[in-house]
Amino acid sequence: MDLVQRRLHEKYGYLIRIGPNELSCADPKAKKDIYRLRNPLQKTDFYSVFKNPKIGAGENLFSLTNEKEHSKLKRAIGNVYKLENIDEKCVDRCSQLFLGRIGELADEGHNIELGRWLHMFAYDTIGEIFFGHMFGFMEHRFDHGSYIESVKLLMPILCIAAVSPVYLRPIIFGFSFMVPAIRRAFQALDNINCAAENIVKTQLETEQTNNNGLLQKLFSLEKKKAINMDHVKMEAWSALFAGADTTAIALCSIFYHLMRNPTAYEKLQVEIDSTYLSISPGDDISFSEARKLPYLKACILEATRLSPSIGLTLPRVVPLDGLSLCGRHIPSSYRVGINPAVIHYDETVFGRDASLFRPERWLEENAAEDMGRYLLNFGAGTRTCIGQNIANLEMYKLPLAVLRRFHICMKPNQAWKTRDVWFNQPEELYVKITRRSYPM
Ligand code: HEM
């Protein structure tokens, strides 16, 4: 989808029709209008597919289309996701386990399916940060509760339903239910519901007040009546659903682009090694330290620019007075949106070589500010990703920890194959991992 949409925009310009009353816009200037902060455009019914009817009214921060209700809920819970509330040690514990596991596999001489291990890392990290314990993906080396498989199987159906008219959705879901694998995936997705429900219940019963996870912070809000228990359960569920796959994809793209570009990989390796000469590779580097590495930051921005985790337009409803886009008046009730995987390739913003991985572009004067405002990785406007601090902790800390201990490579010129079903899911990515042998 992302490739097709990029080609269509190349051929027909910044504004293209992708449905009877739906437009895809690729004009960087339009970002501030479509995702404006004042009188924001509402999310479309695309998002109602991501409600969870099994928990209360089913609405969550992600799926809510009513901007007033959304801003009320965001005011109530937004602080929970602030950086100072997230225990960085959770990411360290998960990184250490990840390093241990890939070290064992490296010693056994196996090639590793990196994407799968990054998924397991991302799910366990959400568990550790949110619920105060990992789920056991990495410990038991398997897809706990089949979460990974279920999301993989379900996303295409959810995506087709989300881009289809509401009246067709029951038919789509009905037919998909006839496919045994998808039926199983729906059942497995119920495991995520149950997991969220059970963890909330257990922590409530045992009053684990010493547990510092974000869930406890949500409980405190519930006690103060700022939110209700359904909100707590829903946040737990949406952290699992919205926070694990997206982060795993981002991590995968960082590793992929580094392996695909050995010069950049080597430059990053030199930056890391020379900065931490006196610190043992087994020790954790803090996020505040990691963020000071300019080339690491540039690599993360560049990889997630070229391969954003979400690869469809983020659709919004044109308001009653219409919207002016690319010199055209767009009437009310039309849907418009920008696809991160399209705008990120815009040559007027990112340069003539926008389709190439070149982290150096982020180090040029004013570049981070000039280009950064057109990145849509984490969305834009009033609906930007609430979990970006969690994601950033993982995106800085894990690659840094891995590169300090291991060398990783894939077959030369291996292509980046993804399946764009809203989440732009990477296909299997086998890599060879070896321990670095310099004195540590
Ligand atoms: C690299 C990782 C991530 C990426 C690329 C990502 C991407 C996004 C994007 C693009 C949006 C906006 C969607 C739209 O406007 O249609 C969004 C919203 C959201 N994300 Fe993330 N996300 C990531 C990680 C996380 C994590 C770790 C969590 C939770 C713990 C999370 C929870 C949410 C929620 C709840 C929303 C809805 C926010 C709102 O509407 O106010 N995300 N994310």
Side-chain angles (χ1 to χ4, degrees), residues 43 47 61-62 70 74 81 126 130 235 238-239 242-243 246-247 250 309-310 314 316 376-379 382-388 390-391 395 422:
K43 280 187 166 182
Y47 293 90
L61 208 57
F62 181 71
H70 170 266
K74 193 166 177 179
Y81 295 86
I126 286 289
F130 222 89
E235 282 312 303
S238 60
T246 44
T247 311
S309 305
I310 289 181
L314 312 177
R316 301 293 186 264
L376 220 60
N377 282 332
F378 287 117
T382 54
R383 309 304 296 261
T384 45
C385 176
I386 203 163
Q388 51 188 296
I390 299 178
M395 289 194 301
W422 171 252

